[in-house]
């Protein structure tokens, strides 16, 4: 049975107890609306620790005023059950006043890997993410925390944040999980009707074509980017970015790509029927093999 905890004091009492018993703490922060992608992170985290904490908090500071904060999927009981089944020992339904107490006036503005790509389209986003992740990691103080490669830039931002502020967690990346039709699982996919869903499948198809072209010997990043962009725009998707970047620092290649496909990642953000889709893969790890 996973404990369901709302109060911060109760969370800390339980964490203190586990630490006194010498047990290591794993952590998977989420915004709820849980799906198999989240559950796979939980199973991975559980294999790396003695006690697993899952947090559920829809973080308002990473939404712009026009975005879907109010409509974000919320299902506390369903999320608890899924977390428990995936190995959580404690599900923390974090309250706004505990994350952002009344006098809270600090924000963290990531630089480096936090600049460009997402920030070009959602300027507020990583400030909100970094601030809430710093807060969550400080409150839970996990030994290990697992974040999904689905949000690849976010994973690098969190790693940098954890290093810069010496938050003390080991940050581990979890594999991106897809639906049977190739679409990356996302809490927002529930908003895609059948027509939009069909169109959304173009995103993994674009990644697939980029990977196949690389496997066939294409090494010019502009040609590969253009291939992805044409695939997306032909199907009517509105592209925020479709770009091959370095897996380690997200910089654009200066020259032709080398023969090490793990060094390069294709990242896509595109809008489909008003839903923003985010996807990526290493050049030798296409959506379909
Ligand atoms: P969210 O609830 O969307 O903020 O996501 C919580 C965590 O789940 C983040 O670390 C995400 O990167 C991760 N995540 C979301 N979707 C997937 C997916 N399809 N596969 C793996 N991890 C995911």
């Amino acid at each position: 049975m996973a404990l369901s905890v709302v109060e911060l004091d109760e969370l800390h009492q339980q964490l203190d107890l586990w630490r006194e018993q010498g047990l290591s703490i794993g952590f998977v922060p989420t915004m709820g609306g849980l799906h198999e992608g989240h559950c796979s992170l939980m199973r991975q985290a559980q294999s790396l620790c003695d006690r697993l904490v899952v947090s559920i908090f829809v973080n308002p500071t990473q939404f712009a005023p026009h975005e879907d904060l109010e409509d974000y999927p919320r299902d506390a009981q369903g999320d608890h059950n899924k977390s428990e089944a995936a190995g959580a020992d404690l599900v923390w339904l974090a309250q706004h006043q505990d994350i952002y107490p009344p006098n809270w006036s600090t924000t963290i503005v990531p630089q480096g890997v936090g600049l460009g790509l997402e920030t070009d389209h959602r300027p507020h986003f990583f400030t909100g993410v970094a601030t809430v992740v710093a807060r969550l990691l400080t409150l839970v103080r996990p030994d290990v925390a697992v974040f999904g490669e689905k949000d690849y830039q976010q994973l690098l931002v969190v790693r940098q944040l954890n290093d810069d502020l010496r938050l003390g967690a080991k940050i581990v990346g979890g594999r991106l999980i897809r639906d049977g039709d190739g679409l990356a699982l996302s809490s927002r996919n529930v908003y895609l009707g059948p027509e939009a869903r069909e169109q959304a499948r173009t995103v993994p198809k674009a990644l697939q074509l980029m990977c196949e072209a690389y496997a066939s010997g294409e090494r010019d990043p502009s040609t590969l980017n253009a291939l992805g962009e044409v695939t997306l725009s032909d199907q009517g998707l509105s592209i925020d970015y479709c770009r091959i970047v370095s897996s380690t620092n997200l910089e654009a290649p200066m020259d032709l790509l080398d023969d090490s496909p793990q060094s390069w990642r294709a990242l896509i953000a595109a809008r489909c029927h008003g839903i923003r889709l985010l996807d990526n893969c290493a050049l030798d790890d296409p959506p379909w093999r």
Side-chain angles (χ1 to χ4, degrees), residues 133-149:
V133 170
R135 184 80 180 128
L136 291 168
L137 290 178
T138 310
L139 290 171
V140 176
R141 289 193 295 115
D143 298 282
V144 58
V146 181
F147 290 81
E149 287 183 350

Side-chain angles (χ1 to χ4, degrees), residues 29-31 35 37-38 41 72 147-148 150-151 175-177 185:
T30 80
M31 298 209 299
H35 50 66
H38 298 110
L41 302 186
Y72 200 83
F147 290 81
K150 157 81 165 45
D151 302 281
R175 203 164 71 78
L176 186 157
I177 304 297
L185 289 179

